[in-house]
């Protein structure tokens, strides 16, 4: 079974989905949220569920679509709220087992902001009315709860093959929502996608790259220093994903050659041409091609012939890195002050 790393941040992906939905009432997002809940709600933390509930019931008086939820989506929307409430009540009961049902539900009403929310006001809910709604709908009944941490070392979730396409969509929603925001979300969403790249198909990564290329192309040249910090990071993510796709393409090419030593050596020779390197971009392109071949050779560690090719490859990687530093100093050295071997500090004029 495949495994999703950084499980808690997968819950953040669900939060991104709820906010995207509440901004535009996209029915596809609503359907995807329901699918995510069917498989993963039992893994979500109390914090994840509460954050999404606050968004869904419009606890905050700003930033949301001014129109009501479309009538044709109302049944699914209400069902989603009930599922989240039922799950979070079970979590609160487990944690606060000494509290009465009335106290648990009243605390939940406070956590969600029910009374002040648009949803609560439309239904004329005070805490007493919310309590009766919970009990009448059977939301006090216990449901399955799972811990996301399989071990102390890894925070992971199982990913069944049938849910892989849905996982890709959640990654897309994370990028769509977080791009351009100045909170913890962009960095967390970027890291989540990067750490789970091995689960993603070439087409899935290419879709994110296409979105980033479109957004990054619209970054104004005279962007403020504050905004540029984040914009540069999105550009770096685009470059990282493009590099991963390049690495994969060479890995696939190497696979087709099997364990044929002469064919793999020819592939290495075809990639490496140190004299052709003229820019940092050239160095990066050649380096990640080598990474693809290296990835394949490492998978054949029991083969002595492959180890010999690996040694040649490592020597070429070192030569490329040396060239890359040389071109860095030519292309960007005026922006930095060198404070040690391979260590640079950006000059104040460029901060």
């Amino acid at each position: 079974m495949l495994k999703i790393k950084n499980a808690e941040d997968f819950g953040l992906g669900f939060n991104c989905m709820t906010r995207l939905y509440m901004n535009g009432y996209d029915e596809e997002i609503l359907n995807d949220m329901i699918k995510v809940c069917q498989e993963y709600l039992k893994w979500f933390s109390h914090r994840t569920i509460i954050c999404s509930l606050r968004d869904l019931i419009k606890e905050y008086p700003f930033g949301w679509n001014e129109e009501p939820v479309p009538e044709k989506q109302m049944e699914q929307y209400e069902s989603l709220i009930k599922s989240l409430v039922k799950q979070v009540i079970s979590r609160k009961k487990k944690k606060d087992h000494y509290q009465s049902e009335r106290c648990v539900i009243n605390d939940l009403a406070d956590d969600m902001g029910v009374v002040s929310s648009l949803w609560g006001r439309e239904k004329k809910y005070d805490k007493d009315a919310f309590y009766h709604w919970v009990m009448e709908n059977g939301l006090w009944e216990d449901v399955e709860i799972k811990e996301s941490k399989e071990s102390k070392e890894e925070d992971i979730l199982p990913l069944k093959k049938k849910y892989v396409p849905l996982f890709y969509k959640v990654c897309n929603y994370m990028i769509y929502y977080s791009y351009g925001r100045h909170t913890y979300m962009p960095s967390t969403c970027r890291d989540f996608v990067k750490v789970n790249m091995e689960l993603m198909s070439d087409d899935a990564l290419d879709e994110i790259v296409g979105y980033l290329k479109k957004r990054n192309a619209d970054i104004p040249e005279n962007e403020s220093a504050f905004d540029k910090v984040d914009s540069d990071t999105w550009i770096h993510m685009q470059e990282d994903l493009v590099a991963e796709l390049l690495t994969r393409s060479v890995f696939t090419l190497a696979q087709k050659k099997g364990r044929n030593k002469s064919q793999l050596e020819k592939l290495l020779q075809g990639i490496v041409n140190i004299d052709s390197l003229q820019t940092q971009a050239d160095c990066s392109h050649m380096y990640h091609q080598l990474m693809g071949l290296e990835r394949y050779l490492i998978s054949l560690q029991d083969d002595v012939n492959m180890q010999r090719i690996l040694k040649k490859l490592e020597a070429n990687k070192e030569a490329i890195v040396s060239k890359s530093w040389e071109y860095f100093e030519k292309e960007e050295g005026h922006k930095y002050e060198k404070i040690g071997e391979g260590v640079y500090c950006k000059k104040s004029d460029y901060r």
Side-chain angles (χ1 to χ4, degrees):
M1 183 179 288
L2 302 173
K3 294 179 179 179
I4 302 170
K5 298 175 184 175
N6 291 13
E8 179 62 23
D9 294 337
F10 183 68
L12 182 62
F14 186 73
N15 295 153
C16 291
M17 294 171 73
T18 56
R19 294 188 176 188
L20 284 172
Y21 172 69
M22 294 307 289
N23 277 328
Y25 301 136
D26 186 321
E27 191 168 0
E28 181 179 359
I29 299 177
L30 178 60
N31 290 332
D32 287 337
M33 284 193 291
I34 290 169
K35 291 176 186 176
V36 169
C37 283
Q38 288 170 349
E39 178 66 11
Y40 289 106
L41 182 55
K42 57 184 175 284
W43 298 89
F44 285 168
S45 68
H46 176 274
R47 177 180 176 277
T48 290
I49 300 171
I50 288 296
C51 285
S52 284
L53 278 169
R54 286 173 176 169
D55 294 336
L56 287 168
I57 68 174
K58 296 187 177 181
E59 181 205 8
Y60 304 107
F62 56 87
W64 297 131
N65 192 331
E66 296 296 327
E67 299 297 320
V69 174
E71 189 62 35
K72 66 177 183 177
Q73 297 177 19
M74 186 58 71
E75 185 176 346
Q76 288 177 295
Y77 165 77
E78 291 282 353
S79 176
L80 179 61
I81 290 175
K82 288 177 182 177
S83 296
L84 294 170
V85 168
K86 191 170 185 178
Q87 180 70 216
V88 80
I89 283 176
S90 287
R91 289 190 171 279
K92 287 183 72 66
K93 285 164 64 178
K94 183 178 179 181
K95 181 181 178 182
D96 303 325
H97 55 85
Y98 58 87
Q99 285 192 330
S100 67
E101 61 185 37
R102 174 72 77 164
C103 288
V104 168
I105 295 171
N106 283 352
D107 286 349
L108 175 59
D110 289 336
D111 289 345
M112 289 172 57
V114 169
V115 177
S116 61
S117 70
L118 182 62
W119 181 78
R121 294 199 305 272
E122 286 175 347
K123 294 178 177 293
K124 299 180 180 178
Y125 280 167
D126 55 17
K127 286 187 178 180
D128 189 56
F130 179 70
Y131 167 80
H132 287 295
W133 174 79
V134 167
M135 301 307 293
E136 288 167 2
N137 284 278
L139 307 183
W140 182 257
E141 299 168 7
D142 288 335
V143 294
E144 185 179 12
I145 298 173
K146 289 191 176 183
E147 297 298 328
S148 61
K149 290 191 177 180
E150 187 174 276
S151 70
K152 292 181 180 179
E153 290 75 32
E154 286 191 291
D155 185 13
I156 59 178
L157 288 180
L159 177 62
K160 297 175 184 175
K161 287 187 177 180
K162 69 177 181 178
Y163 287 108
V164 168
L166 181 61
F167 172 73
Y168 295 163
K169 293 182 79 172
V170 173
C171 289
N172 281 329
Y173 291 135
M174 293 176 82
I175 300 302
Y176 297 164
Y177 178 75
S178 62
Y179 192 104
R181 296 183 178 276
H182 293 287
T183 65
Y184 68 93
M185 267 191 169
S187 61
T188 305
C189 291
R190 285 190 297 260
D191 290 346
F192 179 83
V193 171
K194 287 181 183 179
V195 81
N196 286 291
M197 277 199 300
E198 64 189 45
L199 299 177
M200 303 183 75
S201 68
D202 292 357
D203 287 344
L205 288 181
D206 203 44
E207 185 173 349
I208 295 177
V209 168
Y211 177 78
L212 291 178
K213 283 182 176 178
K214 182 178 178 181
R215 293 298 303 269
N216 289 339
D218 292 335
I219 297 172
E221 291 185 11
N222 59 345
E223 188 175 43
S224 69
F226 174 76
D227 291 327
K228 190 166 181 58
V229 170
D230 193 57
S231 296
D232 284 349
T233 313
W234 283 114
I235 291 171
H236 293 155
M237 181 179 187
Q238 175 188 320
E239 293 170 345
D240 288 345
L241 298 188
V242 168
E244 172 65 16
L245 288 168
L246 175 61
T247 297
R248 289 184 182 190
S249 69
V250 177
F251 175 83
T252 302
L253 187 59
Q255 273 186 316
K256 292 177 181 178
K257 300 184 183 303
R259 292 175 180 263
N260 189 312
K261 181 175 180 288
S262 63
Q263 289 294 314
L264 290 170
E265 284 182 329
K266 283 182 180 178
L267 178 58
L268 176 59
Q269 292 167 4
I271 292 171
V272 177
N273 182 359
I274 302 298
D275 292 338
S276 70
L277 299 175
Q278 300 295 320
T279 65
Q280 287 185 84
D282 291 343
C283 295
S284 177
H285 186 85
M286 191 177 293
Y287 185 88
H288 286 98
Q289 283 182 300
L290 285 183
M291 289 289 288
L293 178 55
E294 181 182 54
R295 191 177 290 182
Y296 176 67
L297 294 173
I298 288 174
S299 71
L300 306 175
Q301 285 184 345
D302 59 321
D303 192 319
V304 175
N305 288 327
M306 300 304 111
Q307 295 303 309
R308 292 187 182 126
I309 301 174
L310 262 175
K311 287 183 180 178
K312 294 179 184 177
L313 187 150
E314 285 297 330
N316 282 303
K317 277 174 60 180
E318 290 177 10
I320 293 169
V321 169
S322 178
K323 278 285 186 180
S324 182
W325 277 115
E326 178 184 325
Y327 289 123
F328 167 77
E329 291 183 345
K330 286 181 180 178
E331 296 168 14
E332 300 185 67
H334 61 287
K335 300 178 185 178
Y336 296 85
E337 179 183 351
K338 189 171 183 178
I339 58 176
E341 190 59 37
V343 181
Y344 294 80
C345 178
K346 205 161 194 179
K347 294 177 181 177
S348 58
D349 291 346
Y350 293 93
R351 284 174 185 166

